[in-house]
Amino acid sequence: MIGGVDTPWARMRRALHRARTGVRKAGVDYFRGEGSDRLALTALLLGVPAIAGGTIAQPDWCSPSALVLPIVAGGLLLRPASLLALYAAAATALIVESAVLGPYTEEDASSRVTPGTILVVAAVGFFGLLIAQFRSRVGVPWRRGGTMLFDLRERIRVQSKLPGLPRGWHREMALRPAGGQSFSGDFVVAARTGGGRILEVVLTDVSGKGMDAASRALLLSGAFGGLLGSLPPHGFLPAANGYLLRQDWDEGFATSIHLVLDLDSGDFELFSAGHLPALQLSAGTGKWEEKTADGPLLGVYDGAQFDPTKGTLRPGDVLMLFTDGLVETADRDISEGIDRLTGEADRYVGSGFQGAAWHLIETVAKDVNDDRALLLICRQ
């Protein structure tokens, strides 16, 4: 709220503050042992003497090694501090079982506390403690971890969805993470600005690949989505560069290409931050032309300048944006990859490039162990 005016920046700051407060409160509540942690600890502590009693009363049906069951459950459910209390109870149960059942003998080893039983229970406890400590660092309960990752993936997918275009335009995008994973270091943010007359699309390739780059891509996609449309087109990449520099990551650079397209006239500007050139297919000549803009990588140095290149999409023209995973491999340079990509793309001219984006990735770079993204804008 600036001077009584609710600006987009003010709304964004309030949303980020609410999110940080909610996450911080949830993490503090969980690791203080409130709610389900206390309930789970109580249930598991009651389960330990029940298992010990079953081992003593019915040793043929309940083995002393059955104590690994509450220990495994504790590794998945409890905080490290609570887990130590469970381990103490399990150790006490082993001592009681050993005293009641008698000393270990080879003739009746299956119903006695053997050195192997102690070793198995201790090993399971060790790995359970490692799991609990990992959850403690992440700050997410085990039961919620998978749900949270699924929700994050869906949010990225929704955020990367291209807006609808008016009649006479066709757009599609395909993104394939490295190694068949669910998260990618490549992402797209897009918006209709200028009263819906302007389409702005930003395709970004974060350094690294797959899960190594996914966390940084997640943070950047949210930040870039907030910047897009809140700044004039020429101010987007400088602001994105400043944001990346402030993160001070060890491997913090990224390449990005920013398309600003007038949907009425077909005129466009391309701003690039160290990204591969876009490719434009001219319907008049049937040839692909590289559209290269000047600009350094994001996150390298402050005060960078990004000079645009301009062009026009006429009826029948196509503009293609892509990341280097689609055209570059260890045994093939970028120029050869671009030639192969345009050669395959020519096969879709007759169909108006309907469904072409995904098929192009499958044909050109199906088995490449790198993130790949492809965006097509066609004027029909």
Side-chain angles (χ1 to χ4, degrees):
M1 190 78 68
I2 300 175
V5 179
D6 192 13
T7 66
W9 283 107
R11 291 195 297 270
M12 190 187 308
R13 284 195 296 270
R14 290 198 301 272
L16 289 173
H17 175 73
R18 288 194 299 269
R20 286 195 298 267
T21 302
V23 170
R24 184 167 56 249
K25 184 178 185 301
V28 169
D29 289 348
Y30 177 72
F31 290 105
R32 281 178 177 171
E34 298 182 5
S36 60
D37 182 71
R38 291 179 179 175
L39 180 61
L41 177 60
T42 302
L44 292 173
L45 287 176
L46 292 175
V48 169
I51 292 175
T55 300
I56 295 172
Q58 295 290 336
D60 292 336
W61 288 91
C62 187
S63 168
S65 60
L67 285 171
V68 301
L69 298 177
I71 290 176
V72 169
L76 297 174
L77 299 175
L78 300 180
R79 300 171 298 118
S82 300
L83 196 59
L84 294 177
L86 178 64
Y87 289 175
T92 303
L94 282 174
I95 294 173
V96 172
E97 289 176 357
S98 180
V100 174
L101 295 174
Y104 161 72
T105 61
E106 294 184 1
E107 292 78 10
D108 202 13
S110 61
S111 60
R112 297 291 188 266
V113 178
T114 68
T117 300
I118 298 174
L119 181 61
V120 169
V121 173
V124 173
F126 173 74
F127 286 110
L129 186 60
L130 291 181
I131 294 173
Q133 288 177 338
F134 173 77
R135 291 187 294 103
S136 177
R137 291 200 309 270
V138 174
V140 179
W142 168 76
R143 302 172 302 283
R144 294 283 298 171
T147 303
M148 186 191 74
L149 289 175
F150 175 80
D151 182 60
L152 290 175
R153 185 186 68 183
E154 293 305 305
R155 287 176 182 272
I156 294 174
R157 185 172 298 173
V158 170
Q159 186 169 266
S160 298
K161 187 177 180 180
L162 299 176
L165 301 184
R167 184 183 297 273
W169 291 94
H170 171 69
R171 87 286 184 269
E172 59 181 77
M173 182 193 70
L175 190 151
R176 184 161 180 167
Q181 301 178 30
S182 298
F183 295 90
S184 172
D186 297 347
F187 66 88
V188 171
V189 292
R192 294 273 296 273
T193 60
R197 183 175 62 89
I198 304 297
L199 172 68
E200 292 193 54
V201 180
V202 178
L203 174 60
T204 302
D205 182 359
V206 179
S207 57
K209 60 184 177 182
M211 292 300 294
D212 294 335
S215 58
R216 283 172 286 146
L218 175 63
L219 178 61
L220 291 181
S221 64
F224 287 11
L227 292 174
L228 193 66
S230 301
L231 298 171
H234 65 269
F236 174 83
L237 286 182
N241 182 59
Y243 178 84
L244 204 57
L245 286 170
R246 290 192 296 273
Q247 306 313 305
D248 196 25
W249 289 327
D250 291 335
E251 191 178 2
F253 67 88
T255 70
S256 191
I257 188 167
H258 179 197
L259 168 67
V260 184
L261 173 63
D262 189 320
L263 296 171
D264 290 341
S265 65
D267 295 335
F268 66 84
E269 285 186 316
L270 278 171
F271 298 83
S272 177
H275 202 82
L276 294 175
L279 297 174
Q280 180 179 357
L281 174 64
S282 173
T285 63
K287 296 181 179 180
W288 291 91
E289 177 188 359
E290 294 187 2
K291 306 295 290 187
T292 304
D294 295 328
L297 297 169
L298 294 178
V300 176
Y301 62 89
D302 198 8
Q305 294 185 348
F306 304 92
D307 299 320
T309 185
K310 299 182 180 181
T312 301
L313 286 178
R314 298 177 177 82
D317 286 3
V318 179
L319 190 65
M320 185 189 306
L321 310 180
F322 52 92
T323 57
D324 59 1
L326 197 63
V327 295
E328 184 180 22
T329 62
D331 56 353
R332 183 182 68 194
D333 62 26
I334 292 178
S335 61
E336 293 177 356
I338 290 177
D339 288 342
R340 184 180 179 188
L341 175 62
T342 55
E344 290 292 335
D346 286 337
R347 303 169 65 178
Y348 295 92
V349 173
S351 63
F353 287 85
Q354 298 290 331
W358 186 256
H359 290 291
L360 284 173
I361 289 182
E362 288 289 295
T363 302
V364 176
K366 178 179 180 180
D367 299 321
V368 174
N369 188 27
D370 198 356
D371 301 319
R372 288 141 291 167
L374 177 68
L375 172 68
L376 290 168
I377 305 289
C378 311
R379 188 173 188 183
Q380 300 170 336

